[in-house]
């Protein structure tokens, strides 16, 4: 596994690309996940995530994946679980103070990040780990948050368009408000059932 982990950081750019495509697929599946229920899909997705990321990155399923900010080197493999850079004990040659045969995950992270498009992400300070999320699917959480943000953006965009139209035709609105309606569309008009 350790070798595969090193391979992943050496090919961080390819993994970054793959991850972006994968996230797009997960976001596209959001309506399906909503229908089935995120609670129901959590377990199987977390199982797959554990298997795939365990193999590729020695993932510890912290639930708040930061691989794209750490050059595809999982910081939870640091014996001190440091999330924001190495401690002061990195040995010569970039080896870990606690496990002398292992390369410091932050040395790996720096190498990996330098090949990635989002190379500056490693400079961002990451929040501490929330242990309550351990074991949960970071894939699902990240894609769900993105889907929610996209939906909100779309709705905000619709409202702005509607407002612009209403402002552009104030007289027409006075005579016939539905010509440039301001009221939100009912769910049925958007193809949703109103329950
Ligand atoms: S950061 Fe967390 S979720 Fe991502 S690979 Fe490491 S342990 Fe797994």
């Amino acid at each position: 596994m350790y070798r595969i982990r090193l391979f992943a950081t050496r090919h961080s750019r390819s993994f970054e690309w793959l991850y972006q495509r994968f996230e797009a697929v997960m976001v596209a599946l959001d309506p399906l996940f909503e229908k089935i229920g995120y609670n129901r899909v959590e377990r199987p997705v977390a199982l797959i995530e554990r298997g795939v990321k365990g193999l590729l990155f020695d993932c510890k399923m912290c639930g708040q994946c930061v691989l794209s900010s750490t050059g595809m080197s999982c910081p939870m493999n640091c014996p001190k679980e440091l999330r924001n850079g190495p401690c002061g004990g990195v040995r010569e040659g970039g080896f870990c103070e606690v496990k002398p045969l292992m390369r410091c995950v932050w040395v790996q992270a720096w190498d990996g990040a330098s090949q990635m498009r989002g190379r500056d992400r490693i400079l961002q300070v990451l929040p501490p780990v929330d242990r309550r999320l351990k074991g949960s699917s970071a894939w699902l959480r990240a894609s769900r948050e993105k889907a929610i943000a996209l939906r909100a953006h779309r709705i905000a965009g619709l409202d702005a368009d509607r407002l612009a139209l209403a402002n552009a035709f104030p007289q027409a609105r006075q005579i016939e408000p539905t010509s440039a309606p301001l009221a939100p569309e009912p769910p049925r008009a958007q193809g949703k059932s109103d329950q």
Side-chain angles (χ1 to χ4, degrees):
M1 301 296 176
Y2 177 58
R3 280 184 161 190
I4 302 180
R5 197 207 299 175
L6 297 184
F7 173 88
T9 48
R10 270 203 311 277
H11 296 84
S12 54
R13 175 74 195 101
S14 308
F15 278 101
E16 181 187 35
W17 182 88
L18 206 67
Y19 247 62
Q20 284 164 352
R21 300 297 166 290
F22 177 66
E23 187 183 67
V25 172
M26 290 290 283
V27 172
L29 286 173
D30 170 71
L32 179 68
F33 292 153
E34 282 281 3
K35 212 167 189 170
I36 300 171
Y38 269 91
N39 280 346
R40 286 204 188 120
V41 289
E42 168 68 33
R43 215 178 135 99
V45 174
L47 263 177
I48 298 169
E49 183 172 341
R50 185 185 292 274
V52 173
K53 282 165 61 179
L55 177 75
L56 292 172
F57 311 110
D58 275 342
C59 168
K60 304 288 181 276
M61 288 299 281
C62 72
Q64 303 133 89
C65 199
V66 289
L67 284 173
S68 49
S69 298
T70 58
M72 294 290 157
S73 169
C74 170
M76 303 311 276
N77 287 309
C78 164
K80 301 174 188 176
E81 296 190 351
L82 297 178
R83 302 269 280 191
N84 281 297
C87 66
V90 182
R91 290 169 190 263
E92 226 182 289
F95 289 90
C96 173
E97 171 182 55
V98 183
K99 297 181 176 177
L101 296 179
M102 183 183 89
R103 295 260 298 161
C104 166
V105 299
W106 280 101
V107 172
Q108 288 299 117
W110 191 259
D111 289 349
S114 62
Q115 300 173 44
M116 291 165 71
R117 284 196 174 200
R119 57 180 62 89
D120 291 342
R121 294 175 85 166
I122 198 168
L123 303 175
Q124 301 290 324
V125 176
L126 297 170
V129 191
D130 182 346
R131 303 276 170 192
R132 291 169 298 180
L133 299 177
K134 190 167 172 58
S136 63
S137 169
W139 282 350
L140 219 46
R141 183 171 307 101
S143 62
R144 189 182 192 189
E145 277 175 16
K146 194 145 197 179
I148 290 172
L150 280 174
R151 262 203 308 273
H153 184 73
R154 228 175 281 139
I155 290 167
L158 268 181
D159 287 348
D161 290 349
R162 201 174 285 136
L163 198 65
L165 195 66
N167 288 336
F169 298 96
Q171 281 177 337
R173 246 195 75 77
Q174 249 172 18
I175 300 160
E176 183 55 85
T178 53
S179 64
L182 272 173
E185 289 172 49
R188 271 195 192 171
Q190 298 171 37
K192 296 179 202 152
S193 65
D194 42 1
Q195 2 141 0

